[in-house]
Each structure stands twice: as C-alpha cells, then as structure tokens.
Amino acid sequence: MANNPGQSGRTLLQMKMGEFWSGDLGLTLVTIALVVLIFVITPLREAGLRGHIFFSIVVVALMISAALVVDQSRVASAIVVAVVLATAAVLVAGRIHPTPFIYQLGSVLSTITLLFYVRIVLLVTFRAGPMTWSRIQGGLSAYLLLGMLWASAFQLTEQLCPGSFRFVSVPSDIDQLTSKLTYYSFTTLTTVGSDISPVLPFARSLTIAESVVGQLFPAVLMSALVAMALQYRPKS
C-alpha cells in the first residue's frame, strides 16, 4: 500500500518539531521571549508600546509546536491548540472592538492558556533523558509563566469586581492595568512586596496562594531536577 503523502508530511513535521524540542533551542527561545515580554515590554505598555504583540505571537507559536510533540493524547493536544487560538482571537478582537465583556473573556481564556503553558513547559522539561541546561531553562520559564498566570487571574478579579486592589495611581486602560498587575504578581511571587495591595477577600486569597507557590515551586523544582540528574548520571 502506498504511503499517504499528507500523512508522511505530518510525520516529518512532527519529527522536526520533536528534534527542535529535544535540544536546547526550544526552551531557550521560550525563556528569552518571556524575559523580554515580562521585564521589558510589559512595563513599557503603560506608555502605549505595542511590541508585546510580537513576543506574544512567538510564545504562542512555540507553545503550539510543543503541544503537538509532548507526550499527551491527540485530544489533549487539540484542546490546547483550540484554546490558544481562541484566546488569541479574543485578545485581537478586544483590540479592534474593546468592550468590558471581551476584556473579561480574554482574561478568562488567558488564565486557562497560561495554565496550559505551564503544563506544556513542565512536560518538556521533565521528558525522559539526561540532565541538560535546557531543563533549567524550562524550570525558569515555568516560574515566569506562573507569575503571568497569577497576573491574568488578578486582572480578571479586578475586572469582575472593580476595587479588588488598591493602586497608588489608578490604571486608565487595559494596558496599564496589565502592567501594574504583572508587577504586583511578580513581587508577590517572590514575596518582595509592592505598593499595590489587595482589598477584597478573594484578591487576598489569590495573593496568599501565589506567595505560597512562589516559595514551594523553586524548592520542588530543584529537588526534581537533582533527582533526574542523579537518575541519568553515567555509571563508572
């Protein structure tokens, strides 16, 4: 029986993506994109900078390719890709026709998508194989994604219940709100503290949860990476 050209093409594409993620390049690009997006582009969004769109597209493309090659069912991969594309469509729609409902829907989908991103990065990080530098980069990426995840949850909370957080200067648009809550999320994740404070009980609960995760995640991650390094250590 002759091979199906379409099936052969898909198989070749999956092999190429698998090689891409089995090395250091995939997680390296994710880490670089997240660092620039969080620490450079997001703070500048308050000034109206739109460069975050490019880096968001890079992260979306990388995560979709990773979702297609990680060890999970086809249904799970299809759900991840569908949610990511739906999130991108809603966020673009919010730019074209901004309404409170679209902003809230975008925050909901962004939170779900970032949760999927954390899962995908951890699956790639802890895939079978020897300990490499890319696994450390994967742990860093997962940590940064957790900060973005909570920032999105904080944003949804503020959108649904205005006044959930007390700001020194009230954000005037969605970009300023995102920038301020991203700053607040990472200062909470690292337990540094900030000039933004939660007011409503649910906002305080989210803040406490992020503080706990910010302390436990690095410890658990380092323990898992050390155990993996010992497992695959060459035997003399």
Side-chain angles (χ1 to χ4, degrees):
M1 182 181 294
N3 291 331
N4 188 335
Q7 183 68 27
S8 300
R10 288 192 294 271
T11 302
L12 180 61
L13 179 60
Q14 288 183 339
M15 290 177 59
K16 293 295 184 182
M17 289 191 298
E19 294 174 358
F20 175 78
W21 284 103
S22 63
D24 290 347
L25 185 57
L27 288 173
T28 298
L29 291 178
V30 171
T31 305
I32 293 174
L34 288 175
V35 168
V36 175
L37 180 63
I38 294 169
F39 299 109
V40 179
I41 303 299
T42 298
L44 294 177
R45 287 180 66 176
E46 293 191 54
L49 184 67
R50 303 298 181 187
H52 69 95
I53 297 176
F54 170 76
F55 288 95
S56 297
I57 292 174
V58 171
V59 174
V60 166
L62 289 170
M63 289 303 172
I64 288 179
S65 67
L68 297 176
V69 299
V70 295
D71 187 14
Q72 61 181 0
S73 66
R74 291 186 177 181
V75 174
S77 298
I79 291 175
V80 170
V81 173
V83 172
V84 170
L85 294 179
T87 303
V90 171
L91 293 178
V92 170
R95 292 291 177 181
I96 298 174
H97 183 65
T99 63
F101 174 74
I102 292 181
Y103 281 151
Q104 292 169 11
L105 180 60
S107 296
V108 172
L109 292 176
S110 296
T111 304
I112 297 173
T113 298
L114 287 166
L115 186 61
F116 283 150
Y117 283 178
V118 173
R119 178 178 180 272
I120 290 171
V121 168
L122 289 178
L123 285 176
V124 174
T125 300
F126 291 104
R127 66 190 184 278
M131 183 66 182
T132 62
W133 170 245
S134 67
R135 298 185 189 276
I136 299 176
Q137 293 176 328
L140 174 60
S141 295
Y143 191 71
L144 294 177
L145 286 168
L146 284 174
M148 295 180 65
L149 168 64
W150 253 277
S152 183
F154 289 146
Q155 182 170 309
L156 177 61
T157 302
E158 179 65 22
Q159 289 170 332
L160 293 176
C161 302
S164 296
F165 297 89
R166 181 180 295 112
F167 301 93
V168 174
S169 58
V170 179
S172 60
D173 55 30
I174 190 67
D175 286 327
Q176 289 192 5
L177 180 64
T178 300
S179 179
K180 290 179 181 296
L181 289 179
T182 300
Y183 158 74
Y184 173 70
S185 176
F186 279 95
T187 55
T188 302
L189 187 68
T190 56
T191 65
V192 173
S194 71
D195 53 0
I196 302 173
S197 57
V199 177
L200 297 186
F202 187 71
R204 292 177 178 176
S205 296
L206 280 177
T207 300
I208 294 172
E210 185 176 22
S211 299
V212 173
V213 171
Q215 295 296 303
L216 294 180
F217 182 82
V220 174
L221 176 68
M222 291 303 298
S223 299
L225 291 177
V226 169
M228 177 174 289
L230 293 175
Q231 179 182 1
Y232 288 95
R233 182 177 57 183
K235 295 180 173 60
S236 57

